[in-house]
Every structure is written in structure tokens, then in C-alpha cells.
């Protein structure tokens, strides 16, 4: 399973990368705005800075919503670095753009996926990744994890190469359940990755080991 971090914050990206378990980064316009990044040049420079930290898989989202605009922006984003994956929204022109980029050998991440039908369309168009937003489905009382299960099954039925990238992952149980269901990737904030470390029995067990060692050493 690949771990991506869902942020545009360089410190968080560095911290996750230094842990040695990070496979990529996903960003979106809201996450870029949260870091105060705007304007074409600053946005490009920020994506480059992210690419310089990680080994691969940096999703950079287009802002245009028409086919020509998405192609123009996507090509510019892809030029920043070979690690860039062009992130495209699940809309009609987005599907056409994904097909175009797939033919050009440019990797894509189809974002804002909320149904199995959308995921099927994106796979048929040749998306490298699809991003079902599980937390946002949970927010409105739909089962986000059930959607992951459906998409994984559909892709297995037909052998689609498109990878299921579970997004809007809010907590460690989301991540663990995605792993059980066979999602190829999860993207989540740093705190979710770090949350996997925690267990009270690990803490108390280690405290006991260290205390016993100190006693035996006569400290
Ligand atoms: O990157 C998209 C997605 O992961 C957003 O998550 O928590 O804003 O629903 P959230």
C-alpha cells in the first residue's frame, strides 16, 4: 500500500518523508491556499519544492474546468518535474482531458470521486489514480468505505490498471480499513500517519523494559 501525504505544507512533507514511509503527495487548491501560495510563479515554485523533497507522485491540480484550459494547465504542470501527476476533477471535460493525457503518457489523478460510476468512467478514460473522498461521504451519512470496496471490486473484475487512491482520510481507522479493502493508496494528513505509531501497551511496555534495565544495572 502506498502512503501519500495530503498537504502542501513543506515541513509536514519533510517530516513524513524522513520517516521513510512516504510514497507521494497530494495537494488541491484549498491546501495550496492554506499555505498562502497563489500566483502562477509561486505555485510552480511550490510544486517544484515539493518535488525536490519526495521521490515521486506529486499531484498538482488544474484550476480550469474546460477541456482546452485543463490541457494547457496540465501540460504546464507536467513540465515542472517528472514527479508531477496532473490532478483533474471528475467532470465531463475532465474525462476527456484524462483520456488525452493518458494517450500522451502523462499521469493523472481524477479527483472528487463520490460514486462507483464516476470511478468506472475515470478508469475507462485511463486515469492513473482515482480519488474517492471517503471522509466527505461520511460527513453526509453515506459510507465512504463502502465506496472503496465497490471500486476495488469493479477494478478487479475488469483488470483496470487505475489505482484506487483513498482521499479525505480523516483518522487511522479509515486508513486501516482502506488497507483491508485493498485500496492501492491512501492520502491523509501527517497526524493520521503518525497516529499509526500509537498504542498504550507499547508505551507502558517500553517504560517497563527501561525501568527493569535500569534496576539490573543498579541505577
Ligand atoms: O485532497 C482531497 C481530500 O483528501 C480532502 O480531504 O479532509 O478536506 O475532505 P478533506
Amino acid at each position: 500500500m502506498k502512503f501519500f501525504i495530503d498537504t502542501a505544507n513543506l515541513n509536514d512533507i519533510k517530516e513524513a518523508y524522513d520517516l521513510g514511509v512516504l510514497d507521494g503527495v497530494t495537494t488541491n487548491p484549498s491546501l495550496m491556499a492554506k499555505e498562502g501560495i497563489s500566483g502562477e510563479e509561486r505555485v510552480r515554485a511550490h510544486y517544484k519544492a515539493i518535488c525536490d523533497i519526495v521521490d515521486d507522485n506529486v499531484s498538482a491540480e488544474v484550476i480550469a474546468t474546460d477541456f482546452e484550459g485543463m490541457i494547457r494547465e496540465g501540460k504546464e504542470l507536467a513540465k515542472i518535474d517528472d514527479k508531477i501527476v496532473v490532478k483533474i476533477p471528475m467532470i465531463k471535460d475532465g474525462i476527456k482531458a484524462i483520456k488525452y493525457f493518458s494517450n500522451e503518457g502523462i499521469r493523472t489523478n481524477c479527483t472528487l470521486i463520490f460514486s462507483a460510476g464516476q470511478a468506472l468512467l475515470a478508469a475507462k478514460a485511463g486515469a492513473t489514480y482515482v480519488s474517492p473522498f471517503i471522509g466527505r461521504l461520511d460527513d453526509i451519512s453515506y459510507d465512504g468505505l463502502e465506496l472503496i470496496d465497490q471500486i476495488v471490486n469493479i477494478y478487479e473484475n475488469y483488470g483496470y490498471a487505475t489505482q484506487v487512491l483513498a482521499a479525505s482520510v480523516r483518522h487511522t481507522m479509515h486508513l486501516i480499513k482502506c488497507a483491508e479493502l485493498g485500496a492501492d493508496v491512501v492520502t491523509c494528513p501527517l497526524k493520521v500517519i503518525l497516529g499509526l505509531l500509537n498504542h498504550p501497551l507499547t508505551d507502558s511496555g517500553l517504560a517497563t523494559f527501561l525501568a527493569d534495565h535500569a534496576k539490573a544495572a543498579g541505577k
Side-chain angles (χ1 to χ4, degrees):
M1 180 183 227
K2 291 183 205 165
F3 279 15
F4 292 177
I5 189 166
D6 196 28
T7 185
N9 182 280
L10 298 180
N11 291 330
D12 282 4
I13 294 168
K14 275 192 201 114
E15 187 173 341
Y17 184 77
D18 287 347
L19 200 56
V21 299
L22 192 68
D23 302 293
V25 180
T26 51
T27 63
N28 62 40
S30 304
L31 293 171
M32 293 292 273
K34 196 171 160 195
E35 300 305 315
I37 309 296
S38 64
E40 208 176 309
E41 278 320 300
R42 284 194 71 211
V43 166
R44 287 177 64 82
H46 200 77
Y47 283 137
K48 184 62 187 158
I50 294 173
C51 289
D52 287 345
I53 299 171
V54 298
D55 299 330
D56 195 13
N57 288 305
V58 176
S59 282
E61 188 160 343
V62 297
I63 305 298
T65 54
D66 63 298
F67 176 75
E68 286 77 17
M70 283 189 262
I71 299 304
R72 192 172 53 248
E73 273 184 41
K75 281 181 173 173
E76 285 303 312
L77 290 169
K79 270 190 223 157
I80 296 172
D81 198 291
D82 286 346
K83 297 172 189 173
I84 292 283
V85 176
V86 180
K87 201 170 179 187
I88 296 183
M90 165 39 74
I91 53 177
K92 195 172 175 186
D93 277 18
I95 287 297
K96 292 183 194 171
I98 287 166
K99 181 71 184 173
Y100 175 91
F101 285 126
S102 168
N103 290 339
E104 294 288 304
I106 292 174
R107 293 178 296 170
T108 55
N109 173 356
C110 186
T111 190
L112 291 165
I113 295 279
F114 292 97
S115 77
Q118 292 177 326
L120 185 53
L121 263 182
K124 283 188 69 68
T128 313
Y129 297 103
V130 287
S131 290
F133 279 28
I134 62 177
R136 291 192 192 183
L137 279 170
D138 290 356
D139 286 344
I140 58 159
S141 307
Y142 283 77
D143 188 346
L145 288 166
E146 193 181 317
L147 177 60
I148 299 295
D149 198 22
Q150 271 185 302
I151 300 171
V152 168
N153 280 329
I154 290 169
Y155 285 7
E156 270 175 17
N157 285 345
Y158 297 99
Y160 286 120
T162 302
Q163 295 176 54
V164 181
L165 193 175
S168 188
V169 167
R170 303 272 176 78
H171 48 73
T172 53
M173 280 315 292
H174 266 159
L175 191 157
I176 291 161
K177 288 289 173 193
C178 283
E180 284 182 355
L181 293 170
D184 300 283
V185 191
V186 283
T187 190
C188 56
L190 179 64
K191 72 170 185 223
V192 177
I193 297 174
L194 296 180
L196 296 175
L197 291 164
N198 299 334
H199 200 289
L201 291 178
T202 304
D203 297 340
S204 59
L206 182 60
T208 304
F209 287 158
L210 295 179
D212 289 345
H213 173 77
K215 251 188 259 162
K219 288 180 190 165

